[in-house]
Amino acid sequence: MTTKPIISIRNLSKRFGSVAALDNVSLDIMPGEFFALLGPSGCGKSTLLRTIAGFESPTEGELLLDGTNMVKLPPNKRPVNMVFQSYAVFPHMSVAKNVAYGLQLQGTPAGDIKTRVSEALAQVHLSGYEERMPDQLSGGQRQRVALARALVKKPRVLLLDEPLSALDAKLRHAMRLELVKLQQTVGVTFIMVTHDQSEALAVADRIAVLESGRLRQVSSPAGLYLQPCDAFVADFIGSVNMFEVASVADRDGKVAVRTAEFGEMLFPADAVPAAHGVAKDLVVAIRPEKIRILLEPPADGEARARGRLGDVAFQGDSSIVEVLLESGRTISAYVHQADATRLMAAKTGADVWCSWGVSDMLVLPRIAR
């Protein structure tokens, strides 16, 4: 992968009347990268994808491909292609004719069309399906026809709008792996829109998290999960327990952070956001898998909170355990099945302790500045 971006988005904004669908978004996407645009409904991710495709024109800003501004280029002149959420496979055309359609519109010679259609179907593992009709295909096969139809035109960038949302859960998981393998095989830059955080974490090299038209953070899946920039990203990426910060104070080169649930905890100075003097702007976050649930008090030196055992939800090799803390707040933990079995032997409402290392906690701003 080179260090020069294939797509550069600079100060891009898109307004529909008084509503800002995109608000001053800037990011780079690298050649050969599988890049995901992630966020809740209405965050602007689909608008950004449609702007790259040329179906929307930005109100302000630049959209560069290999250094050339594409803002004024119509969709058919851009070296990108798009796979829509509904796949838009033509029901009256065979698989081969569906894939060939775009090439025919371009006036590609018939001999070249046949060769390129065959190559595209081989890429998506549909060789031998040329004469089948869409109603003879499974959902996953129709999706692959849509991918082949996009790839046959040899785009520099392939845009995917919620490509797995129409599939059932089991097929969706299988197609995640297919997408990753396909992208690695063809070497084309993929940009995918999704609201499903687990989907983005599973397939993407990097992820941009958007909220209310603003870019909140761009990072690798591990970076977003382990080092979220603020409370919104931490809450959107995976499960997390978050608690209000009551006060902060300097303590001999460290920062003392107090919450109603856990009392005072000492953090290294660099683990607390610089504006730590304003407690109301901070939260403390802990991932459920970092928490141990004990029937006896934990060893000294560990962060802890006492509570009463709530629901234990069986999840196979692990379970979700809820604990009602003395403050009235609930905390959730993921525990291995052997520990869950011991907890289920205790009665609901039994005294328990939650325990974790202070280094497993994050002190985060509510909104990154």
Side-chain angles (χ1 to χ4, degrees):
M1 188 179 293
T2 70
T3 56
K4 183 179 178 182
I6 187 169
I7 287 182
S8 293
I9 296 166
R10 294 286 175 263
N11 307 113
L12 199 73
S13 295
K14 175 64 179 179
R15 287 186 288 275
F16 296 97
S18 61
V19 177
L22 295 172
D23 186 3
N24 198 33
V25 172
S26 294
L27 60 89
D28 289 329
I29 299 171
M30 309 307 289
E33 189 170 34
F34 200 134
F35 195 91
L37 301 173
L38 176 66
S41 297
C43 72
K45 57 188 184 295
S46 291
T47 300
L48 182 54
L49 194 77
R50 290 176 60 81
T51 301
I52 296 171
F55 301 133
E56 299 286 354
S57 297
T59 307
E60 298 168 356
E62 293 183 324
L63 176 62
L64 308 176
L65 192 146
D66 282 339
T68 301
N69 198 342
M70 294 195 298
V71 165
K72 294 185 178 180
L73 282 180
N76 63 321
K77 299 295 185 182
R78 301 187 183 195
V80 304
N81 217 330
M82 190 162 178
V83 177
F84 294 92
Q85 184 174 351
S86 63
Y87 310 149
V89 174
F90 301 124
H92 61 288
M93 291 184 181
S94 67
V95 167
K97 289 180 178 178
N98 261 284
V99 177
Y101 183 73
L103 297 178
Q104 290 171 339
L105 289 181
Q106 288 181 339
T108 304
D112 290 345
I113 290 177
K114 185 175 181 180
T115 299
R116 287 171 63 175
V117 167
S118 179
E119 290 173 349
L121 289 175
Q123 285 178 330
V124 298
H125 308 293
L126 284 178
S127 296
Y129 286 72
E130 287 82 357
E131 300 308 315
R132 292 201 189 184
M133 301 299 289
D135 62 1
Q136 297 174 304
L137 304 175
S138 68
Q141 288 168 337
R142 286 194 295 274
Q143 187 215 43
R144 282 187 270 166
V145 172
L147 286 168
R149 189 173 58 190
L151 290 169
V152 77
K153 295 180 72 177
K154 299 183 178 178
R156 298 289 310 284
V157 179
L158 185 64
L159 309 176
L160 302 141
D161 185 11
E162 301 273 8
L164 306 180
S165 61
L167 306 178
D168 63 65
K170 188 171 183 179
L171 183 55
R172 192 160 61 242
H173 282 277
M175 287 306 299
R176 289 177 186 175
L177 297 177
E178 290 290 331
L179 271 180
V180 172
K181 290 177 183 176
L182 176 62
Q183 193 270 337
Q184 291 172 345
T185 299
V186 300
V188 173
T189 302
F190 279 21
I191 305 176
M192 181 180 76
V193 157
T194 181
H195 66 275
D196 185 333
Q197 39 140 316
S198 63
E199 187 172 287
L201 293 173
V203 304
D205 299 311
R206 285 192 306 145
I207 301 168
V209 179
L210 293 99
E211 185 264 337
S212 298
R214 296 184 298 273
L215 183 64
R216 301 299 286 261
Q217 188 173 359
V218 180
S219 187
S220 66
L224 289 176
Y225 189 81
L226 299 174
Q227 296 177 311
C229 68
D230 60 23
F232 173 82
V233 175
D235 188 42
F236 195 78
I237 302 293
S239 298
V240 69
N241 300 286
M242 283 195 287
F243 301 91
E244 309 286 334
V245 171
S247 66
V248 291
D250 292 327
R251 293 276 193 277
D252 298 324
K254 293 190 175 184
V255 179
V257 177
R258 178 179 292 277
T259 70
E261 293 79 13
F262 315 128
E264 186 175 281
M265 296 166 291
L266 289 177
F267 289 86
D270 61 0
V272 180
H276 66 260
V278 185
K280 67 181 178 62
D281 292 336
L282 299 176
V283 297
V284 170
I286 178 73
R287 297 288 185 187
E289 68 271 16
K290 300 294 186 181
I291 300 170
R292 293 184 300 137
I293 308 298
L294 307 171
L295 296 172
E296 301 292 336
D300 291 339
E302 295 183 334
R304 66 179 70 190
R306 187 173 179 177
R308 295 188 179 278
L309 183 64
D311 291 333
V312 180
F314 179 76
Q315 301 286 302
D317 62 348
S318 64
S319 291
I320 302 172
V321 179
E322 289 194 341
V323 174
L324 180 63
L325 302 177
E326 292 177 332
S327 67
R329 284 288 308 278
T330 298
I331 194 168
S332 296
Y334 297 158
V335 301
H336 293 298
Q337 200 49 50
D339 294 326
T341 299
R342 286 193 290 272
L343 291 171
M344 284 189 286
K347 293 182 179 180
T348 299
D351 285 339
V352 293
W353 281 261
C354 305
S355 174
W356 59 89
V358 172
S359 62
D360 291 326
M361 303 188 80
L362 297 170
V363 182
L364 299 170
R366 292 182 186 278
I367 300 175
R369 301 296 180 184

Coordinates of all heavy atoms in Angstrom, one line a residue, residues 42 55 118 151 154 160 282 329:
G42 N -28.8 8.5 9.9 CA -28.8 9.9 9.8 C -27.5 10.6 10.1 O -27.4 11.8 10.2
F55 N -23.6 11.0 -7.1 CA -25.1 11.2 -7.0 C -25.5 12.4 -6.2 O -26.7 12.8 -6.2 CB -25.7 9.9 -6.5 CG -25.4 8.7 -7.3 CD1 -25.0 7.5 -6.7 CD2 -25.5 8.7 -8.7 CE1 -24.7 6.4 -7.5 CE2 -25.2 7.6 -9.5 CZ -24.8 6.4 -8.8
S118 N -16.7 -13.4 -18.1 CA -16.2 -14.7 -17.5 C -15.2 -14.5 -16.4 O -15.3 -15.2 -15.4 CB -15.6 -15.5 -18.7 OG -15.1 -16.7 -18.2
L151 N -17.5 -4.9 -10.7 CA -16.1 -5.2 -10.9 C -15.8 -5.3 -12.4 O -14.6 -5.1 -12.8 CB -15.7 -6.4 -10.1 CG -15.7 -6.3 -8.6 CD1 -15.5 -7.7 -8.0 CD2 -14.5 -5.4 -8.2
K154 N -14.0 -2.6 -14.1 CA -12.6 -2.3 -13.6 C -12.5 -1.0 -13.0 O -11.7 -0.1 -13.4 CB -11.6 -2.5 -14.7 CG -11.6 -4.0 -15.2 CD -10.5 -4.1 -16.3 CE -10.5 -5.6 -16.8 NZ -9.5 -5.8 -17.9
L160 N -19.8 0.4 -1.6 CA -20.8 -0.6 -1.2 C -21.7 0.0 -0.2 O -21.3 0.4 0.9 CB -20.0 -1.8 -0.5 CG -19.0 -2.5 -1.4 CD1 -17.8 -2.9 -0.7 CD2 -19.6 -3.7 -2.1
L282 N -16.3 14.8 31.5 CA -15.6 13.5 31.5 C -16.5 12.3 31.9 O -17.4 12.5 32.7 CB -14.3 13.5 32.4 CG -13.3 14.6 32.1 CD1 -12.2 14.5 33.1 CD2 -12.7 14.4 30.7
R329 N -26.9 2.1 40.0 CA -26.5 1.9 38.7 C -26.3 0.4 38.4 O -26.0 -0.4 39.3 CB -25.3 2.6 38.3 CG -25.4 4.1 38.1 CD -26.1 4.4 36.8 NE -25.5 3.7 35.6 CZ -24.4 4.2 35.0 NH1 -23.9 5.3 35.3 NH2 -23.9 3.5 34.0

